[in-house]
Amino acid sequence: MPAKVAGAGASSSSAPLSVPAPRPPVIAGTLYRGREGMWSWVLHRITGVAIYFFLLVHILDTALVRVSPEAYNIVIGAYKTPIMGLGELALVGAILFHALNGLRIILVDFWSVGTRHQRALFWTVLGVWAAMMIAFTPRHLIAVFGG
Amino acid sequence: MTTIDAPRTSAARTRRGVNLEKWGWMYMRASGVVLVVLIFGHLFVNLVAGEGVKQIDFAFVAGKLSDPFWQVYDTLLLWLALIHGANGMRTLVNDYVTKPRVRSALLFALGASTVVLLILGTLVIYTFDPCPVGADPELVASFCSSL
Protein backbone atom coordinates (compact mmCIF):
# COMPACT_ATOMS: atom_id res chain seq x y z
CA MET A 1 0.00 0.00 0.00
CA PRO A 2 1.30 3.48 -0.79
CA ALA A 3 1.95 5.29 2.46
CA LYS A 4 1.42 8.92 1.49
CA VAL A 5 -0.67 9.55 4.54
CA ALA A 6 1.95 10.23 7.19
CA GLY A 7 1.03 13.09 9.44
CA ALA A 8 -2.43 13.52 7.99
CA GLY A 9 -4.60 15.41 10.41
CA ALA A 10 -1.82 15.73 12.91
CA SER A 11 1.20 17.78 11.87
CA SER A 12 1.82 21.13 10.20
CA SER A 13 -0.97 23.13 8.69
CA SER A 14 1.28 24.63 6.02
CA ALA A 15 1.63 21.56 3.79
CA PRO A 16 -1.55 20.62 1.90
CA LEU A 17 -3.08 17.31 2.90
CA SER A 18 -1.99 14.67 0.44
CA VAL A 19 -4.48 11.94 -0.33
CA PRO A 20 -3.41 8.96 -2.47
CA ALA A 21 -4.91 8.80 -5.92
CA PRO A 22 -7.59 6.15 -6.48
CA ARG A 23 -6.19 2.77 -7.36
CA PRO A 24 -6.05 2.24 -11.13
CA PRO A 25 -8.63 -0.30 -12.28
CA VAL A 26 -6.20 -3.12 -13.03
CA ILE A 27 -5.65 -6.39 -11.21
CA ALA A 28 -1.95 -6.21 -10.45
CA GLY A 29 0.65 -5.13 -8.00
CA THR A 30 -0.34 -5.15 -4.39
CA LEU A 31 -3.62 -6.98 -4.92
CA TYR A 32 -3.51 -10.61 -3.88
CA ARG A 33 -6.08 -11.72 -6.42
CA GLY A 34 -4.87 -14.60 -8.53
CA ARG A 35 -1.96 -15.34 -6.23
CA GLU A 36 -1.25 -17.60 -3.26
CA GLY A 37 -3.45 -15.59 -0.91
CA MET A 38 -6.50 -16.01 -3.14
CA TRP A 39 -5.98 -19.70 -3.81
CA SER A 40 -5.49 -20.52 -0.13
CA TRP A 41 -8.77 -18.70 0.57
CA VAL A 42 -10.61 -20.50 -2.25
CA LEU A 43 -9.29 -23.91 -1.19
CA HIS A 44 -10.11 -23.21 2.46
CA ARG A 45 -13.76 -22.52 1.55
CA ILE A 46 -14.13 -25.51 -0.78
CA THR A 47 -12.50 -27.98 1.64
CA GLY A 48 -14.50 -26.50 4.54
CA VAL A 49 -17.83 -27.07 2.80
CA ALA A 50 -16.85 -30.62 1.77
CA ILE A 51 -15.77 -31.50 5.32
CA TYR A 52 -18.97 -29.97 6.75
CA PHE A 53 -21.26 -32.13 4.63
CA PHE A 54 -19.21 -35.22 5.43
CA LEU A 55 -19.51 -34.36 9.13
CA LEU A 56 -23.32 -34.26 8.88
CA VAL A 57 -23.37 -37.74 7.32
CA HIS A 58 -20.72 -39.05 9.71
CA ILE A 59 -22.68 -38.03 12.84
CA LEU A 60 -25.75 -39.82 11.45
CA ASP A 61 -23.90 -43.00 10.43
CA THR A 62 -22.18 -43.22 13.81
CA ALA A 63 -25.56 -42.75 15.52
CA LEU A 64 -26.51 -46.16 14.06
CA VAL A 65 -24.51 -47.82 16.87
CA ARG A 66 -27.55 -46.88 18.97
CA VAL A 67 -29.85 -48.78 16.58
CA SER A 68 -28.23 -52.19 16.26
CA PRO A 69 -24.84 -53.80 15.55
CA GLU A 70 -26.21 -55.07 12.20
CA ALA A 71 -27.39 -51.63 11.06
CA TYR A 72 -24.07 -50.01 11.94
CA ASN A 73 -21.99 -52.74 10.28
CA ILE A 74 -23.98 -52.59 7.03
CA VAL A 75 -23.49 -48.83 6.68
CA ILE A 76 -19.85 -48.78 7.83
CA GLY A 77 -19.25 -51.60 5.34
CA ALA A 78 -19.87 -49.04 2.59
CA TYR A 79 -16.84 -47.10 3.81
CA LYS A 80 -14.62 -50.10 3.03
CA THR A 81 -15.50 -50.34 -0.67
CA PRO A 82 -12.93 -49.18 -3.28
CA ILE A 83 -14.89 -46.11 -4.39
CA MET A 84 -15.51 -44.93 -0.83
CA GLY A 85 -11.88 -45.74 -0.01
CA LEU A 86 -10.78 -43.27 -2.68
CA GLY A 87 -13.34 -40.83 -1.31
CA GLU A 88 -11.74 -41.15 2.13
CA LEU A 89 -8.39 -40.33 0.57
CA ALA A 90 -9.90 -37.13 -0.86
CA LEU A 91 -11.55 -36.39 2.49
CA VAL A 92 -8.28 -36.80 4.40
CA GLY A 93 -6.58 -34.60 1.80
CA ALA A 94 -9.24 -31.91 2.33
CA ILE A 95 -8.99 -32.17 6.13
CA LEU A 96 -5.19 -31.96 6.12
CA PHE A 97 -5.24 -28.90 3.86
CA HIS A 98 -7.96 -27.17 5.89
CA ALA A 99 -6.10 -27.92 9.15
CA LEU A 100 -2.69 -26.74 7.93
CA ASN A 101 -4.05 -23.68 6.15
CA GLY A 102 -6.12 -22.88 9.26
CA LEU A 103 -2.90 -22.80 11.28
CA ARG A 104 -1.47 -20.51 8.55
CA ILE A 105 -4.45 -18.16 8.96
CA ILE A 106 -3.86 -18.07 12.74
CA LEU A 107 -0.20 -17.20 12.15
CA VAL A 108 -1.16 -14.44 9.70
CA ASP A 109 -3.64 -13.07 12.27
CA PHE A 110 -1.56 -13.29 15.44
CA TRP A 111 2.13 -13.58 14.48
CA SER A 112 3.68 -10.11 14.13
CA VAL A 113 5.40 -10.99 10.83
CA GLY A 114 2.82 -13.56 9.69
CA THR A 115 1.32 -11.33 6.99
CA ARG A 116 4.73 -10.57 5.53
CA HIS A 117 5.42 -14.30 5.20
CA GLN A 118 1.94 -15.41 4.09
CA ARG A 119 3.19 -16.60 0.69
CA ALA A 120 6.03 -18.65 2.17
CA LEU A 121 3.56 -20.01 4.73
CA PHE A 122 1.23 -21.11 1.92
CA TRP A 123 4.01 -23.04 0.20
CA THR A 124 4.97 -24.53 3.58
CA VAL A 125 1.36 -25.67 3.99
CA LEU A 126 1.48 -27.35 0.56
CA GLY A 127 4.82 -28.98 1.40
CA VAL A 128 3.69 -30.40 4.73
CA TRP A 129 0.39 -31.45 3.12
CA ALA A 130 2.26 -33.34 0.38
CA ALA A 131 4.52 -35.06 2.91
CA MET A 132 1.56 -36.18 5.02
CA MET A 133 -0.36 -37.40 1.95
CA ILE A 134 2.69 -39.37 0.77
CA ALA A 135 2.75 -41.05 4.19
CA PHE A 136 -1.00 -41.67 4.41
CA THR A 137 -1.89 -42.70 0.84
CA PRO A 138 -0.07 -46.08 0.62
CA ARG A 139 -1.17 -47.00 4.14
CA HIS A 140 -4.82 -46.33 3.35
CA LEU A 141 -4.81 -47.87 -0.13
CA ILE A 142 -3.27 -51.06 1.27
CA ALA A 143 -6.07 -51.20 3.85
CA VAL A 144 -8.74 -50.63 1.17
CA PHE A 145 -7.37 -52.75 -1.70
CA GLY A 146 -4.93 -55.08 0.06
CA GLY A 147 -7.51 -56.84 2.21
CA MET B 1 -13.04 23.14 4.95
CA THR B 2 -13.50 19.41 4.97
CA THR B 3 -11.46 17.46 7.48
CA ILE B 4 -10.43 13.89 6.98
CA ASP B 5 -9.92 11.49 9.88
CA ALA B 6 -6.36 10.34 10.36
CA PRO B 7 -5.83 6.87 8.90
CA ARG B 8 -6.75 4.00 11.22
CA THR B 9 -8.89 6.20 13.43
CA SER B 10 -11.25 3.72 15.03
CA ALA B 11 -14.81 4.08 13.88
CA ALA B 12 -17.31 5.40 16.36
CA ARG B 13 -18.94 2.56 18.26
CA THR B 14 -22.54 2.38 17.26
CA ARG B 15 -23.41 -0.69 19.27
CA ARG B 16 -22.89 -1.54 22.89
CA GLY B 17 -22.53 -4.90 24.54
CA VAL B 18 -20.92 -8.14 23.46
CA ASN B 19 -19.48 -8.23 19.93
CA LEU B 20 -20.72 -11.66 18.85
CA GLU B 21 -18.99 -11.52 15.46
CA LYS B 22 -15.67 -10.97 17.21
CA TRP B 23 -16.24 -13.95 19.49
CA GLY B 24 -17.28 -16.05 16.49
CA TRP B 25 -13.99 -15.09 14.85
CA MET B 26 -12.11 -16.00 18.03
CA TYR B 27 -14.03 -19.29 18.28
CA MET B 28 -12.96 -20.35 14.77
CA ARG B 29 -9.29 -19.95 15.70
CA ALA B 30 -9.47 -21.39 19.22
CA SER B 31 -11.57 -24.40 18.21
CA GLY B 32 -9.48 -24.79 15.05
CA VAL B 33 -6.27 -25.35 17.00
CA VAL B 34 -7.94 -27.93 19.27
CA LEU B 35 -9.61 -29.63 16.28
CA VAL B 36 -6.27 -30.06 14.51
CA VAL B 37 -5.07 -32.15 17.48
CA LEU B 38 -8.37 -34.01 18.00
CA ILE B 39 -9.00 -34.82 14.33
CA PHE B 40 -5.41 -35.89 13.62
CA GLY B 41 -5.73 -38.22 16.64
CA HIS B 42 -9.13 -39.46 15.40
CA LEU B 43 -7.77 -40.16 11.90
CA PHE B 44 -4.67 -41.88 13.27
CA VAL B 45 -6.56 -44.22 15.60
CA ASN B 46 -9.25 -45.09 13.04
CA LEU B 47 -7.47 -45.05 9.66
CA VAL B 48 -3.73 -45.49 10.29
CA ALA B 49 -3.23 -47.61 13.41
CA GLY B 50 -4.19 -51.29 13.46
CA GLU B 51 -5.84 -52.50 10.27
CA GLY B 52 -6.97 -49.08 9.08
CA VAL B 53 -10.50 -48.54 7.78
CA LYS B 54 -11.17 -52.31 7.60
CA GLN B 55 -11.05 -52.62 11.42
CA ILE B 56 -14.01 -50.32 11.98
CA ASP B 57 -17.20 -52.15 12.97
CA PHE B 58 -19.69 -52.17 15.83
CA ALA B 59 -17.31 -54.01 18.19
CA PHE B 60 -14.49 -51.53 17.44
CA VAL B 61 -16.71 -48.54 18.19
CA ALA B 62 -18.13 -50.26 21.29
CA GLY B 63 -14.60 -50.81 22.57
CA LYS B 64 -13.88 -47.10 22.21
CA LEU B 65 -17.17 -45.73 23.52
CA SER B 66 -17.11 -47.92 26.65
CA ASP B 67 -13.97 -46.00 27.68
CA PRO B 68 -14.62 -42.62 29.39
CA PHE B 69 -11.55 -41.17 27.65
CA TRP B 70 -13.04 -41.72 24.19
CA GLN B 71 -16.48 -40.58 25.38
CA VAL B 72 -15.04 -37.21 26.37
CA TYR B 73 -12.82 -37.13 23.25
CA ASP B 74 -15.73 -37.81 20.89
CA THR B 75 -17.98 -35.34 22.72
CA LEU B 76 -15.38 -32.58 22.29
CA LEU B 77 -14.93 -33.57 18.65
CA LEU B 78 -18.69 -33.46 18.02
CA TRP B 79 -19.33 -30.08 19.63
CA LEU B 80 -16.19 -28.25 18.50
CA ALA B 81 -16.32 -29.57 14.91
CA LEU B 82 -20.05 -29.15 14.28
CA ILE B 83 -20.18 -25.61 15.69
CA HIS B 84 -16.98 -24.72 13.78
CA GLY B 85 -18.48 -26.11 10.57
CA ALA B 86 -21.88 -24.50 11.07
CA ASN B 87 -20.30 -21.12 11.79
CA GLY B 88 -18.18 -21.47 8.66
CA MET B 89 -21.29 -22.27 6.61
CA ARG B 90 -22.99 -19.22 8.17
CA THR B 91 -20.11 -17.12 6.83
CA LEU B 92 -20.61 -18.55 3.33
CA VAL B 93 -24.39 -18.03 3.44
CA ASN B 94 -23.86 -14.41 4.50
CA ASP B 95 -21.32 -13.94 1.69
CA TYR B 96 -23.18 -15.52 -1.20
CA VAL B 97 -26.93 -15.49 -0.47
CA THR B 98 -28.25 -12.05 -1.34
CA LYS B 99 -32.00 -12.65 -1.09
CA PRO B 100 -32.92 -11.85 2.54
CA ARG B 101 -35.63 -14.49 2.86
CA VAL B 102 -33.51 -17.27 1.36
CA ARG B 103 -30.65 -16.23 3.62
CA SER B 104 -32.89 -16.32 6.71
CA ALA B 105 -34.25 -19.72 5.74
CA LEU B 106 -30.76 -21.16 5.23
CA LEU B 107 -29.48 -19.73 8.52
CA PHE B 108 -32.49 -21.19 10.32
CA ALA B 109 -31.93 -24.61 8.72
CA LEU B 110 -28.26 -24.43 9.64
CA GLY B 111 -29.02 -23.60 13.28
CA ALA B 112 -31.80 -26.18 13.58
CA SER B 113 -29.74 -29.01 12.05
CA THR B 114 -26.81 -28.12 14.30
CA VAL B 115 -28.92 -28.25 17.48
CA VAL B 116 -30.57 -31.55 16.45
CA LEU B 117 -27.25 -33.21 15.59
CA LEU B 118 -25.53 -31.98 18.76
CA ILE B 119 -28.34 -33.44 20.91
CA LEU B 120 -28.49 -36.67 18.88
CA GLY B 121 -24.72 -37.20 18.94
CA THR B 122 -24.38 -36.47 22.65
CA LEU B 123 -27.26 -38.83 23.49
CA VAL B 124 -25.67 -41.56 21.36
CA ILE B 125 -22.34 -41.22 23.18
CA TYR B 126 -23.82 -41.34 26.69
CA THR B 127 -26.75 -43.75 26.27
CA PHE B 128 -24.77 -46.23 24.17
CA ASP B 129 -24.86 -49.88 25.28
CA PRO B 130 -21.79 -51.75 23.97
CA CYS B 131 -23.43 -55.12 24.73
CA PRO B 132 -27.09 -54.84 23.64
CA VAL B 133 -29.39 -57.54 25.00
CA GLY B 134 -29.98 -60.28 22.43
CA ALA B 135 -27.29 -59.05 20.04
CA ASP B 136 -25.37 -61.52 17.88
CA PRO B 137 -22.27 -62.44 19.97
CA GLU B 138 -20.21 -62.41 16.76
CA LEU B 139 -20.89 -58.71 16.27
CA VAL B 140 -20.26 -57.29 19.74
CA ALA B 141 -17.00 -56.57 21.58
CA SER B 142 -15.15 -59.55 23.08
CA PHE B 143 -15.60 -58.25 26.63
CA CYS B 144 -19.39 -58.72 26.34
CA SER B 145 -19.06 -62.52 26.75
CA SER B 146 -17.56 -62.12 30.22
CA LEU B 147 -20.50 -60.11 31.53
Side-chain angles (χ1 to χ4, degrees), chain B residues 68-116:
Chain B
F69 173 83
W70 289 113
Q71 285 187 327
V72 173
Y73 193 104
D74 285 356
T75 309
L76 279 173
L77 207 49
L78 171 71
W79 283 73
L80 290 174
L82 189 55
I83 295 172
H84 184 104
N87 194 42
M89 291 298 289
R90 185 183 69 90
T91 306
L92 296 198
V93 168
N94 286 340
D95 276 0
Y96 299 123
V97 182
T98 50
K99 292 198 174 86
R101 292 186 68 176
V102 178
R103 178 177 159 275
S104 298
L106 284 174
L107 291 182
F108 176 80
L110 207 49
S113 60
T114 303
V115 170
V116 167

Coordinates of all heavy atoms in Angstrom, one line a residue, chain B residues 68-116:
Chain B
P68 N -14.3 -44.0 29.1 CA -14.6 -42.6 29.4 C -13.7 -41.7 28.6 O -14.1 -40.6 28.2 CB -14.4 -42.5 30.9 CG -14.6 -43.8 31.5 CD -14.1 -44.8 30.4
F69 N -12.5 -42.0 28.4 CA -11.5 -41.2 27.6 C -12.1 -40.9 26.3 O -12.2 -39.7 25.8 CB -10.2 -41.8 27.5 CG -9.2 -41.1 26.6 CD1 -8.5 -40.0 27.1 CD2 -9.0 -41.5 25.3 CE1 -7.6 -39.3 26.3 CE2 -8.2 -40.7 24.5 CZ -7.5 -39.7 24.9
W70 N -12.5 -41.9 25.6 CA -13.0 -41.7 24.2 C -14.4 -41.1 24.2 O -14.8 -40.4 23.2 CB -13.1 -43.0 23.4 CG -11.7 -43.5 23.1 CD1 -11.1 -44.6 23.6 CD2 -10.7 -42.8 22.2 NE1 -9.8 -44.7 23.0 CE2 -9.5 -43.6 22.2 CE3 -10.8 -41.7 21.4 CZ2 -8.4 -43.3 21.5 CZ3 -9.7 -41.3 20.7 CH2 -8.5 -42.1 20.7
Q71 N -15.2 -41.3 25.3 CA -16.5 -40.6 25.4 C -16.3 -39.1 25.4 O -16.9 -38.3 24.7 CB -17.2 -41.0 26.6 CG -17.8 -42.4 26.5 CD -18.7 -42.7 27.7 OE1 -18.4 -42.3 28.9 NE2 -19.8 -43.5 27.5
V72 N -15.3 -38.6 26.3 CA -15.0 -37.2 26.4 C -14.4 -36.7 25.1 O -14.8 -35.6 24.5 CB -14.1 -36.9 27.6 CG1 -13.7 -35.5 27.6 CG2 -14.8 -37.3 28.9
Y73 N -13.5 -37.5 24.5 CA -12.8 -37.1 23.3 C -13.8 -36.9 22.1 O -13.8 -35.9 21.4 CB -11.9 -38.3 22.9 CG -10.9 -38.0 21.8 CD1 -9.5 -37.7 22.1 CD2 -11.2 -38.0 20.4 CE1 -8.6 -37.5 21.1 CE2 -10.3 -37.8 19.5 CZ -9.0 -37.5 19.8 OH -8.0 -37.3 18.8
D74 N -14.7 -37.9 22.0 CA -15.7 -37.8 20.9 C -16.7 -36.7 21.1 O -17.2 -36.1 20.2 CB -16.4 -39.2 20.7 CG -15.5 -40.2 20.0 OD1 -14.4 -39.8 19.6 OD2 -15.9 -41.3 19.8
T75 N -17.1 -36.4 22.4 CA -18.0 -35.3 22.7 C -17.4 -34.0 22.3 O -18.0 -33.2 21.7 CB -18.3 -35.3 24.2 OG1 -18.8 -36.6 24.6 CG2 -19.4 -34.3 24.5
L76 N -16.1 -33.8 22.7 CA -15.4 -32.6 22.3 C -15.3 -32.4 20.8 O -15.6 -31.4 20.2 CB -14.0 -32.6 22.9 CG -13.8 -32.2 24.3 CD1 -12.3 -32.4 24.8 CD2 -14.1 -30.7 24.5
L77 N -15.0 -33.6 20.1 CA -14.9 -33.6 18.7 C -16.3 -33.2 18.0 O -16.3 -32.3 17.2 CB -14.6 -35.0 18.2 CG -13.8 -35.2 16.9 CD1 -12.6 -34.3 16.8 CD2 -13.4 -36.7 16.8
L78 N -17.3 -33.8 18.5 CA -18.7 -33.5 18.0 C -19.0 -32.0 18.2 O -19.4 -31.3 17.2 CB -19.7 -34.3 18.8 CG -21.2 -34.0 18.5 CD1 -21.6 -34.4 17.1 CD2 -22.1 -34.7 19.6
W79 N -18.9 -31.5 19.4 CA -19.3 -30.1 19.6 C -18.4 -29.1 18.9 O -18.9 -28.1 18.3 CB -19.4 -29.8 21.1 CG -20.6 -30.4 21.8 CD1 -20.8 -31.8 22.0 CD2 -21.8 -29.7 22.2 NE1 -22.1 -31.9 22.5 CE2 -22.7 -30.7 22.7 CE3 -22.2 -28.4 22.2 CZ2 -23.9 -30.4 23.2 CZ3 -23.4 -28.1 22.7 CH2 -24.3 -29.1 23.2
L80 N -17.1 -29.2 19.1 CA -16.2 -28.3 18.5 C -16.3 -28.3 17.0 O -16.4 -27.2 16.3 CB -14.8 -28.5 18.9 CG -14.4 -28.3 20.4 CD1 -13.0 -28.8 20.7 CD2 -14.6 -26.8 20.7
A81 N -16.3 -29.5 16.4 CA -16.3 -29.6 14.9 C -17.6 -29.1 14.3 O -17.7 -28.3 13.3 CB -16.0 -31.0 14.5
L82 N -18.8 -29.5 14.9 CA -20.1 -29.1 14.3 C -20.3 -27.6 14.4 O -20.8 -27.0 13.4 CB -21.2 -30.0 14.9 CG -22.5 -29.8 14.2 CD1 -22.4 -30.2 12.7 CD2 -23.6 -30.7 14.8
I83 N -20.0 -27.1 15.5 CA -20.2 -25.6 15.7 C -19.2 -24.8 14.8 O -19.6 -23.8 14.2 CB -20.1 -25.2 17.2 CG1 -21.2 -25.8 18.0 CG2 -20.1 -23.7 17.3 CD1 -21.0 -25.7 19.5
H84 N -18.0 -25.3 14.7 CA -17.0 -24.7 13.8 C -17.5 -24.8 12.3 O -17.5 -23.8 11.6 CB -15.6 -25.5 13.9 CG -14.5 -24.9 13.2 ND1 -13.5 -24.2 13.7 CD2 -14.2 -25.0 11.8 CE1 -12.6 -23.8 12.8 NE2 -13.0 -24.3 11.7
G85 N -18.0 -25.9 11.9 CA -18.5 -26.1 10.6 C -19.7 -25.3 10.3 O -19.8 -24.6 9.3
A86 N -20.7 -25.3 11.3 CA -21.9 -24.5 11.1 C -21.6 -23.0 11.0 O -22.2 -22.3 10.2 CB -22.9 -24.8 12.2
N87 N -20.6 -22.5 11.8 CA -20.3 -21.1 11.8 C -19.6 -20.8 10.5 O -19.8 -19.7 9.9 CB -19.4 -20.8 13.0 CG -19.3 -19.3 13.2 OD1 -20.3 -18.5 13.1 ND2 -18.1 -18.8 13.4
G88 N -18.8 -21.7 10.0 CA -18.2 -21.5 8.7 C -19.2 -21.4 7.6 O -19.2 -20.5 6.7
M89 N -20.2 -22.3 7.6 CA -21.3 -22.3 6.6 C -22.1 -21.0 6.7 O -22.6 -20.4 5.7 CB -22.2 -23.5 6.8 CG -21.6 -24.8 6.4 SD -21.0 -24.9 4.7 CE -22.6 -25.0 3.9
R90 N -22.3 -20.5 8.0 CA -23.0 -19.2 8.2 C -22.2 -18.1 7.5 O -22.9 -17.2 6.8 CB -23.1 -18.9 9.7 CG -23.9 -17.7 10.1 CD -23.8 -17.5 11.6 NE -22.5 -17.1 12.0 CZ -22.1 -15.8 12.1 NH1 -22.9 -14.8 11.8 NH2 -20.8 -15.5 12.4
T91 N -20.9 -18.1 7.5 CA -20.1 -17.1 6.8 C -20.4 -17.2 5.3 O -20.6 -16.2 4.7 CB -18.6 -17.4 7.1 OG1 -18.4 -17.4 8.5 CG2 -17.8 -16.3 6.5
L92 N -20.4 -18.4 4.8 CA -20.6 -18.6 3.3 C -22.0 -18.1 2.9 O -22.2 -17.4 1.9 CB -20.4 -20.0 2.9 CG -19.0 -20.6 3.0 CD1 -18.8 -21.8 2.2 CD2 -17.9 -19.6 2.7
V93 N -23.0 -18.5 3.7 CA -24.4 -18.0 3.4 C -24.4 -16.5 3.4 O -25.0 -15.9 2.5 CB -25.4 -18.6 4.5 CG1 -26.7 -18.0 4.4 CG2 -25.5 -20.1 4.3
N94 N -23.8 -15.9 4.5 CA -23.9 -14.4 4.5 C -23.1 -13.8 3.3 O -23.5 -12.7 2.8 CB -23.2 -13.9 5.8 CG -24.1 -14.1 7.0 OD1 -25.3 -14.3 6.9 ND2 -23.5 -14.1 8.2
D95 N -22.1 -14.5 2.8 CA -21.3 -13.9 1.7 C -22.1 -14.1 0.4 O -22.0 -13.2 -0.5 CB -20.0 -14.7 1.6 CG -18.9 -14.1 2.5 OD1 -19.2 -13.1 3.2 OD2 -17.8 -14.6 2.5
Y96 N -22.7 -15.2 0.2 CA -23.2 -15.5 -1.2 C -24.7 -15.5 -1.4 O -25.2 -15.4 -2.5 CB -22.7 -16.9 -1.6 CG -21.2 -17.0 -1.6 CD1 -20.5 -18.0 -0.9 CD2 -20.4 -16.2 -2.4 CE1 -19.1 -18.1 -0.9 CE2 -19.0 -16.3 -2.4 CZ -18.4 -17.2 -1.7 OH -17.0 -17.3 -1.7
V97 N -25.5 -15.5 -0.3 CA -26.9 -15.5 -0.5 C -27.4 -14.1 -0.3 O -27.3 -13.5 0.8 CB -27.6 -16.4 0.5 CG1 -29.1 -16.4 0.3 CG2 -27.0 -17.8 0.4
T98 N -27.9 -13.5 -1.4 CA -28.2 -12.0 -1.3 C -29.7 -11.8 -1.1 O -30.1 -10.8 -0.6 CB -27.9 -11.4 -2.7 OG1 -28.4 -12.2 -3.7 CG2 -26.4 -11.3 -2.8
K99 N -30.6 -12.8 -1.4 CA -32.0 -12.6 -1.1 C -32.2 -12.8 0.4 O -32.0 -13.9 1.0 CB -32.8 -13.7 -1.9 CG -32.8 -13.5 -3.4 CD -33.9 -14.2 -4.1 CE -34.0 -13.9 -5.5 NZ -33.1 -14.8 -6.3
P100 N -32.8 -11.8 1.1 CA -32.9 -11.9 2.5 C -33.7 -13.0 3.0 O -33.4 -13.7 4.0 CB -33.6 -10.5 2.9 CG -33.3 -9.6 1.7 CD -33.2 -10.5 0.5
R101 N -34.8 -13.4 2.4 CA -35.6 -14.5 2.9 C -34.9 -15.8 2.7 O -35.0 -16.7 3.6 CB -37.0 -14.5 2.2 CG -37.8 -13.3 2.5 CD -39.2 -13.3 1.9 NE -40.0 -14.4 2.6 CZ -41.3 -14.6 2.3 NH1 -41.9 -13.8 1.4 NH2 -42.0 -15.6 2.8
V102 N -34.3 -16.0 1.6 CA -33.5 -17.3 1.4 C -32.4 -17.4 2.4 O -32.2 -18.4 3.0 CB -32.9 -17.3 -0.1 CG1 -32.1 -18.6 -0.3 CG2 -34.0 -17.2 -1.1
R103 N -31.7 -16.2 2.6 CA -30.7 -16.2 3.6 C -31.2 -16.6 5.0 O -30.6 -17.5 5.7 CB -30.0 -14.8 3.7 CG -28.9 -14.7 4.7 CD -28.3 -13.3 4.6 NE -27.6 -13.0 5.9 CZ -28.2 -12.5 6.9 NH1 -29.5 -12.2 6.9 NH2 -27.5 -12.3 8.0
S104 N -32.3 -16.0 5.4 CA -32.9 -16.3 6.7 C -33.3 -17.8 6.8 O -33.0 -18.4 7.8 CB -34.1 -15.5 7.0 OG -33.8 -14.1 7.0
A105 N -33.8 -18.3 5.7 CA -34.3 -19.7 5.7 C -33.0 -20.6 5.9 O -33.1 -21.6 6.7 CB -35.0 -20.1 4.5
L106 N -32.0 -20.3 5.2 CA -30.8 -21.2 5.2 C -30.1 -21.1 6.6 O -29.7 -22.1 7.2 CB -29.8 -20.7 4.2 CG -30.1 -21.2 2.7 CD1 -29.1 -20.6 1.7 CD2 -30.1 -22.7 2.6
L107 N -30.1 -19.9 7.2 CA -29.5 -19.7 8.5 C -30.3 -20.5 9.5 O -29.8 -21.1 10.5 CB -29.4 -18.2 8.9 CG -28.3 -17.4 8.1 CD1 -28.3 -16.0 8.6 CD2 -26.9 -18.1 8.2
F108 N -31.6 -20.5 9.4 CA -32.5 -21.2 10.3 C -32.2 -22.7 10.2 O -32.1 -23.4 11.2 CB -34.0 -20.9 10.1 CG -34.9 -21.7 10.9 CD1 -35.1 -21.3 12.2 CD2 -35.5 -22.8 10.4 CE1 -36.0 -22.1 13.0 CE2 -36.4 -23.6 11.2 CZ -36.6 -23.2 12.5
A109 N -32.2 -23.2 8.9 CA -31.9 -24.6 8.7 C -30.6 -25.0 9.3 O -30.4 -26.1 9.9 CB -32.0 -24.9 7.2
L110 N -29.6 -24.2 9.1 CA -28.3 -24.4 9.6 C -28.3 -24.5 11.2 O -27.8 -25.5 11.7 CB -27.4 -23.3 9.2 CG -25.9 -23.5 9.0 CD1 -25.6 -24.7 8.2 CD2 -25.3 -22.2 8.4
G111 N -28.9 -23.6 11.8 CA -29.0 -23.6 13.3 C -29.8 -24.8 13.8 O -29.4 -25.5 14.7
A112 N -31.0 -25.1 13.1 CA -31.8 -26.2 13.6 C -31.1 -27.5 13.4 O -31.1 -28.3 14.3 CB -33.1 -26.2 12.8
S113 N -30.4 -27.7 12.3 CA -29.7 -29.0 12.1 C -28.6 -29.2 13.0 O -28.3 -30.3 13.5 CB -29.3 -29.1 10.6 OG -28.4 -28.1 10.3
T114 N -27.9 -28.0 13.4 CA -26.8 -28.1 14.3 C -27.3 -28.5 15.7 O -26.7 -29.4 16.3 CB -26.1 -26.7 14.4 OG1 -25.7 -26.4 13.1 CG2 -24.9 -26.8 15.3
V115 N -28.4 -27.9 16.2 CA -28.9 -28.3 17.5 C -29.4 -29.7 17.5 O -29.0 -30.5 18.5 CB -30.1 -27.3 17.8 CG1 -30.8 -27.8 19.1 CG2 -29.6 -25.9 18.0
V116 N -30.1 -30.2 16.5 CA -30.6 -31.5 16.5 C -29.4 -32.5 16.5 O -29.4 -33.5 17.2 CB -31.4 -31.8 15.2 CG1 -31.7 -33.3 15.0 CG2 -32.8 -31.0 15.3

